[in-house]
Amino acid sequence: MTKPSVNFLDKECTIAGPGFNRWLVPPAALAIHLCIGMAYGFSVFWLPLSKALGIKDSIACGADVGFFQELFVSHCDWNISTLGWMYTLFFVFLGSSASLWGGWLEHVGPRKAAVISALCWCGGMLLSALGIYLHQFWIMLLGSGVIGGIGLGLGYISPVSTLIKWFPDRRGMATGMAIMGFGGGAMIGSPLATALMNHFATPTDVGVMQTFMVMAVIYFVFMITGALSYRIPASGWKPLGWTPRIAKKNNGMITPHHVHVKNIYKIKQFWLLWAALCMNVSAGIGVIGMSSPMLQEVFGGQLIAVAKTYSELDKIELAAIAGIAAGFTALLSLFNIGGRFFWATLSDFFGRKLTFIIFFVLGGLLYISIPGSADAGNKLLFVAAFCVILSMYGGGFSTAPAYLADLFGTQMVGAIHGRLLTAWATAGILGPVIVNYMRDYQLSLGLPREQVYNQTMMILAGLLLLGLLCNLLIRPVADKWFMTAKELAEEKCHAREIIAEEDGHLIADKEQGREVIKPTPLAIVWLAWIVVVIPLSWGIYKTLINAAKFF
């Protein structure tokens, strides 16, 4: 019987040998997440694209041109509201692809999934550049929205299971590092895109097409480097000297057993966590989308020491407070990023359930306090409340994978996490709808702009109360849902895993006579971290400059 051929993308080729330094895996994950995280920053392209033909001013389409006609017209510019559909498709396809192909990823390994993610994300950007050149919006939707969205989903979940298996002693911290990168992608991508558009802009071109092409190449290099750097531990590997801790004092919330992804929809704990995450994300994502106009409408002239409401400000004053509001948005993004690492790391000490309780109780109290801070004109308390809320919004994303691993085991946590991300897609619709439509409704009642968000804050606090109740109902998973020893062995065989011995050395290595274990040189580890820390630091620096406008 012939042995099946193996290539460098196959899972077998990613098994780490003895001496491999696990700290090489987080920078590989960051390299991918920092690239696909630009999905958050795509709004930087909307204004230039809305003037792609007119250059200085948009060429308006006729009244007879609706949304579907706008997909194909080439004689007039796109509306910003139409361009926003690309943003919507990003997260619809992120959740859908993560859910559909999470199980496949567990079987083929993170390297192959990450390479496909790079091809989809960067290839989608190149296809979008063609759409800009031909001025066909349907091509852009297909490129970045659909194909790019699939790349987002695969890239987002590709390192989750791997990091959890490499860091069984620090699950929250490990996933927090990677998912922090997704939140930080826009901090790097947005100023980079702005600089490139300014460089390529001419009297006859807004420079977006060339920017897409250059960013696609840059992202492809980073993503492929990260993908090829992925290594996975042998099944059963554990850090030297570490003993698995089954948290009896935490009511057995950390299981040593494993649930198969095919059964996950039948388990109530999954749906309770799904609802808890959905409520947390809905409350936060609605605020993100309206943070700039909310600050301007609530405080108006107070932002520039002028005793006027928002409606009374002139054009120059409106421009001044818009700059301050941009600083507020930048400040929120920093807390969103920092919260992903801070809260996920804290959850390693507090436990996942208690950390989520903090999100819901503290977040609810802060939402309730915001109308009072606004009425008192206390900008410091108003801003501080939203900064903490956004840190917990990001913290919910980064803590959820470790929560899943605690409840359902690590064997198929990547696939289960993919299913959980449908909560994000749901929240991406629910949160903005609540905030935007409540604002319009309050305005229709004749309320002053500075008061239109008061009821919305109460509703968002109510969402967190629902999330709290769901989280409190989560209990350890019943034994009947866990795979038997035989089923687990079959799954490991199907996933083509190599079993580690008790000391963490690979059986295959010993059979090949490798007796000397050479650890990864620390210089390589430091170099890997420097490669991702430098662009991340640059993005944080640029964001801090914008945030300084608020002060």
Side-chain angles (χ1 to χ4, degrees):
M1 184 175 178
T2 58
K3 188 177 181 179
S5 61
V6 177
N7 64 57
F8 72 101
L9 292 182
D10 286 343
K11 191 173 184 178
E12 296 91 324
C13 291
T14 64
I15 305 292
F20 178 80
N21 193 318
R22 61 177 176 168
W23 288 97
L24 278 171
V25 181
L30 275 169
I32 292 173
H33 272 227
L34 287 172
C35 294
I36 62 176
M38 179 53 188
Y40 271 135
F42 253 66
S43 59
V44 74
F45 298 120
W46 297 164
L47 188 59
L49 284 174
S50 71
K51 299 183 289 185
L53 295 179
I55 309 300
K56 291 186 177 180
D57 297 297
S58 298
I59 299 175
C61 298
D64 59 327
V65 177
F67 172 77
F68 290 103
Q69 289 80 12
E70 214 171 342
L71 295 176
F72 305 98
V73 295
S74 58
H75 64 276
C76 59
D77 280 311
W78 303 304
N79 292 317
I80 289 179
S81 58
T82 302
L83 292 164
W85 276 98
M86 190 184 297
Y87 185 81
T88 301
L89 286 178
F90 278 154
F91 298 106
V92 169
F93 278 90
L94 185 156
S96 302
S97 60
S99 177
L100 285 172
W101 292 302
W104 168 81
L105 184 152
E106 291 285 4
H107 293 151
V108 303
R111 179 183 290 177
K112 183 175 289 187
V115 167
I116 294 175
S117 169
L119 292 171
C120 289
W121 178 243
C122 302
M125 290 190 74
L126 291 175
L127 189 57
S128 290
L130 176 64
I132 296 170
Y133 177 75
L134 299 175
H135 202 76
Q136 292 291 299
F137 188 58
W138 70 270
I139 297 178
M140 294 183 65
L141 287 182
L142 175 63
S144 289
V146 178
I147 298 174
I150 292 171
L152 278 177
L154 291 176
Y156 189 87
I157 63 173
S158 65
V160 169
S161 177
T162 302
L163 285 167
I164 285 176
K165 290 171 183 174
W166 272 119
F167 292 88
D169 51 335
R170 303 176 185 180
R171 290 174 178 174
M173 181 209 69
T175 55
M177 280 190 288
I179 293 175
M180 174 186 71
F182 187 81
M187 289 199 305
I188 302 170
S190 294
L192 175 62
T194 300
L196 288 172
M197 286 188 290
N198 289 337
H199 174 75
F200 289 118
T202 68
T204 59
D205 195 324
V206 293
V208 180
M209 180 189 72
Q210 299 90 329
T211 298
F212 269 51
M213 296 171 68
V214 171
M215 292 184 75
V217 172
I218 293 172
Y219 284 162
F220 187 76
V221 171
F222 267 83
M223 293 180 74
I224 287 294
T225 301
L228 298 184
S229 300
Y230 275 154
R231 296 291 186 278
I232 59 177
S235 180
W237 176 91
K238 60 181 183 290
L240 186 64
W242 177 76
T243 302
R245 179 169 55 93
I246 308 304
K248 293 180 180 179
K249 64 181 181 180
N250 197 25
N251 299 318
M253 291 295 287
I254 302 177
T255 181
H257 306 296
H258 309 275
V259 171
H260 197 287
V261 68
K262 68 182 180 182
N263 294 320
I264 201 65
Y265 285 151
K266 305 172 187 176
I267 303 175
K268 64 181 179 181
Q269 285 89 341
F270 172 81
W271 290 110
L272 288 170
L273 183 54
W274 188 98
L277 181 65
C278 184
M279 294 301 100
N280 185 56
V281 175
S282 294
I285 205 168
V287 169
I288 289 176
M290 289 297 290
S291 59
S292 177
M294 179 170 57
L295 184 76
Q296 296 178 65
E297 291 179 331
V298 168
F299 289 102
Q302 295 180 52
L303 295 173
I304 52 175
V306 174
K308 293 181 181 180
T309 64
Y310 178 83
S311 302
E312 297 170 340
L313 297 174
D314 59 32
K315 189 173 182 179
I316 296 176
E317 292 166 338
L318 287 172
I321 69 168
I324 293 173
F328 174 57
T329 302
L331 192 63
L332 292 182
S333 70
L334 287 173
F335 275 84
N336 178 14
I337 307 313
R340 292 170 186 248
F341 181 73
F342 173 79
W343 290 109
T345 302
L346 204 64
S347 75
D348 287 332
F349 301 96
F350 286 176
R352 264 45 94 168
K353 187 171 183 177
L354 179 56
T355 303
F356 265 70
I357 289 173
I358 294 171
F359 292 162
F360 296 124
V361 173
L362 179 57
L365 292 174
L366 289 173
Y367 274 121
I368 292 171
S369 74
I370 286 168
S373 301
D375 291 341
N378 194 323
K379 290 178 287 185
L380 180 61
L381 288 179
F382 182 91
V383 171
F386 277 115
C387 285
V388 176
I389 285 169
L390 262 294
S391 78
M392 294 187 292
Y393 162 80
F397 282 120
S398 56
T399 307
Y403 206 160
L404 290 171
D406 290 352
L407 288 169
F408 307 112
T410 60
Q411 181 64 32
M412 304 200 76
V413 67
I416 296 171
H417 184 229
R419 303 286 174 91
L420 187 73
L421 289 181
T422 55
W424 186 1
T426 304
I429 298 171
L430 180 62
V433 164
I434 290 174
V435 174
N436 296 342
Y437 281 90
M438 274 300 298
R439 174 185 176 276
D440 292 343
Y441 174 70
Q442 298 291 326
L443 286 173
S444 70
L445 295 179
L447 285 178
R449 286 181 180 268
E450 57 270 21
Q451 296 179 18
V452 297
Y453 297 99
N454 291 356
Q455 292 298 322
T456 304
M457 296 302 110
M458 298 300 108
I459 293 173
L460 296 182
L463 291 181
L464 294 187
L465 177 60
L466 290 175
L468 174 64
L469 294 175
C470 291
N471 185 57
L472 291 174
L473 290 172
I474 294 176
R475 296 288 186 271
V477 176
D479 290 342
K480 67 178 182 178
W481 296 116
F482 293 117
M483 287 186 276
T484 64
K486 181 180 179 181
E487 290 170 336
L488 181 59
E490 290 175 351
E491 175 57 35
K492 288 180 181 291
C493 181
H494 183 47
R496 296 175 293 181
E497 294 186 3
I498 296 176
I499 309 299
E501 292 185 334
E502 285 300 315
D503 62 359
H505 298 172
L506 297 181
I507 294 173
D509 288 323
K510 289 193 171 183
E511 290 175 348
Q512 292 168 11
R514 297 179 185 175
E515 296 179 357
V516 179
I517 299 175
K518 295 182 179 180
T520 305
L522 285 179
I524 294 178
V525 179
W526 279 103
L527 179 62
W529 278 98
I530 288 170
V531 168
V532 293
V533 167
I534 287 177
L536 183 58
S537 300
W538 179 76
I540 292 173
Y541 167 72
K542 288 289 188 179
T543 306
L544 284 171
I545 291 175
N546 284 329
K549 298 176 184 176
F550 179 77
F551 301 98

